Amino acid sequence: VPDVPIVLEPEVKEYNFQLSGVVLGLEDRPMRNMRIIIDPSFGESFTTKTDSNGFYSYTGRIKPIAGTGYTLKMQLQFAYMNESLNPSDGWIFYLKSSVEDPIRVETTMQILPEQLVNIPDTGLVINKEIKFSLLDTDNCISYSAPGLKDTFYSQSPKERIYGYTNVYDALTDALYTGISVFNERDTIASGLPLIVNVDDTSIDAFSHFDHNKPTGYINLKYTDSTLSDTTRSVTYHEFGHFLDYYSNGKVFRGDISSKSSMWDPYLSQYNDWHNGFLNSDSSFAVVEGYATWYASMVRKYGLYPAANYYVVPGITNLGSKVTKAWRDQLGEEFAIASFYTRLEKGFGLDDM
């Protein structure tokens, strides 16, 4: 019997694999605490989040076969995670739309065979910076299907993703102000998770905080989820309602519980949120004034302080509304917001 040579397959060595980078929003602001699901074709999926500077990292193992390429898909969810603030599941707030819950963007990167040659003993290290501001470049977005080389995929058009990035950043700003400036950590925790619907296109759509939901819920009409400064103002304002409601034990500081459907025989109309002096009393103006005041406080003490913080773009200029309460129905709530601003004494919602 002739000898049959024994052919030994070359040993396939396993290496450490490290992926890290930063996720930046518009104006290169970090997308803080953003939930990321990493799904490599050579290993199990892994869930992580960015830190306060937008940095993320993933460490796994890869056992490359010569001449073989691999893929790594990253799903970025518009969900702010912080396990210390919400120990049950870490969800603080997230954005949802009519097509996604939560809203997400996927990017798939290719690991080419040539990258897997002569890997050092320390392993394969790849850095991937993700900028939402680059979504409009020719090779950086796909409307057809996920999985293309170094592309982004989303069920929402890129213009909407820009707007959602703005809403996410504004919510982060409002959250920071409530916790770091006004020490309302426990208040905020009691209303979590905060769910934010960002594309209400119904005929009677209006942006509002819905206190009838089991946890915090903000509804933004389609036109209030854009790149505009008004979007930031509206987001700050509605977060102010959320903070007001939960800081008072699920009751607004203006006693409106029995007045939301009250009929005023003298004015021949029902009370409403923004009717100001046309309502039966000032309860609603107190609630709305507080929310607008909080928007100005985010602009003053938040992550991006503005010198003219009293100007709330798209809503009002609190520096010019003190004497205008009776010139238009919105004037009453703006005058109250301006009054709060002038009475501000140090930090703490209980002082207001």
Side-chain angles (χ1 to χ4, degrees):
V1 177
D3 292 336
V4 177
I6 299 175
V7 179
L8 298 176
E9 294 291 334
E11 180 183 358
V12 179
K13 187 175 181 179
E14 189 174 42
Y15 297 90
N16 287 326
F17 175 84
Q18 183 176 4
L19 172 71
S20 61
V22 62
V23 182
L24 301 175
L26 305 176
E27 301 183 24
D28 287 348
R29 292 174 174 175
M31 297 293 283
R32 296 172 171 84
N33 287 46
M34 190 175 207
R35 190 170 192 254
I36 301 176
I37 299 176
I38 298 174
D39 187 12
S41 63
F42 50 85
E44 296 181 355
S45 63
F46 176 79
T47 300
T48 185
K49 66 181 180 68
T50 61
D51 63 13
S52 60
N53 294 309
F55 288 100
Y56 69 92
S57 64
Y58 159 77
T59 300
R61 303 282 287 175
I62 185 169
K63 202 171 185 178
I65 299 174
T68 303
Y70 300 88
T71 61
L72 189 146
K73 183 170 70 174
M74 295 178 63
Q75 183 185 105
L76 296 92
Q77 298 185 349
F78 284 76
Y80 189 105
M81 310 297 293
N82 187 324
E83 290 76 11
S84 65
L85 186 57
N86 184 2
S88 62
D89 57 18
W91 294 76
I92 306 305
F93 68 75
Y94 65 88
L95 276 55
K96 66 178 289 290
S97 70
S98 57
V99 295
E100 288 185 299
D101 184 1
I103 295 171
R104 67 204 70 181
V105 171
E106 292 180 1
T107 176
T108 301
M109 61 178 293
Q110 305 288 328
I111 302 175
L112 304 176
E114 52 264 34
Q115 293 177 273
L116 301 172
V117 177
N118 299 323
I119 298 176
D121 290 338
T122 53
L124 179 64
V125 178
I126 294 179
N127 182 273
K128 186 173 181 63
E129 180 181 81
I130 298 174
K131 287 189 174 185
F132 279 88
S133 60
L134 295 180
L135 286 179
D136 59 353
T137 57
D138 292 339
N139 63 345
C140 212
I141 191 160
S142 165
Y143 295 107
S144 54
L148 301 179
K149 180 179 177 181
D150 287 329
T151 61
F152 281 92
Y153 169 77
S154 174
Q155 293 191 42
S156 303
K158 58 186 178 183
E159 292 79 10
R160 299 305 300 168
I161 293 296
Y162 289 154
Y164 302 156
T165 303
N166 195 27
V167 172
Y168 186 97
D169 190 56
L171 284 167
T172 302
D173 202 1
L175 177 68
Y176 167 85
T177 305
I179 294 176
S180 299
V181 179
F182 291 102
N183 302 313
E184 290 294 329
R185 182 184 182 89
D186 292 341
T187 290
I188 291 171
S190 67
L192 299 177
L194 173 61
I195 303 169
V196 183
N197 179 59
V198 291
D199 69 344
D200 188 351
T201 57
S202 59
I203 295 176
D204 57 349
F206 69 102
S207 297
H208 64 283
F209 167 71
D210 189 342
H211 62 284
N212 294 312
K213 300 289 187 180
T215 64
Y217 190 96
I218 292 174
N219 184 75
L220 296 178
K221 63 182 180 181
Y222 187 84
T223 54
D224 282 339
S225 299
T226 68
L227 272 176
S228 68
D229 288 337
T230 299
T231 284
R232 299 189 71 86
S233 297
V234 171
T235 302
Y236 296 158
H237 177 97
E238 300 306 335
F239 190 93
H241 282 314
F242 163 74
L243 201 58
D244 178 16
Y245 184 72
Y246 282 97
S247 66
N248 287 282
K250 295 187 178 182
V251 177
F252 289 111
R253 65 188 57 238
D255 181 15
I256 62 170
S257 57
S258 61
K259 301 173 184 177
S260 58
S261 60
M262 181 182 293
W263 181 267
D264 191 318
Y266 297 102
L267 299 177
S268 298
Q269 66 178 44
Y270 289 105
N271 286 326
D272 203 0
W273 292 98
H274 295 285
N275 271 359
F277 70 88
L278 297 180
N279 286 328
S280 58
D281 62 30
S282 296
S283 299
F284 286 93
V286 168
V287 175
E288 295 295 344
Y290 175 87
T292 296
W293 166 79
Y294 187 76
S296 73
M297 292 297 97
V298 177
R299 285 176 50 77
K300 183 177 183 179
Y301 297 116
L303 294 165
Y304 317 106
N308 62 338
Y309 65 90
Y310 48 84
V311 177
V312 186
I315 296 182
T316 188
N317 179 349
L318 295 178
S320 64
K321 291 292 184 180
V322 178
T323 61
K324 296 183 179 180
W326 303 106
R327 297 185 186 179
D328 60 77
Q329 63 194 59
L330 289 175
E332 185 180 27
E333 65 185 69
F334 294 152
I336 290 174
S338 184
F339 181 68
Y340 281 149
T341 302
R342 283 157 174 75
L343 284 183
E344 184 192 356
K345 298 177 181 178
F347 303 140
L349 298 178
D350 292 338
D351 296 332
M352 303 308 296

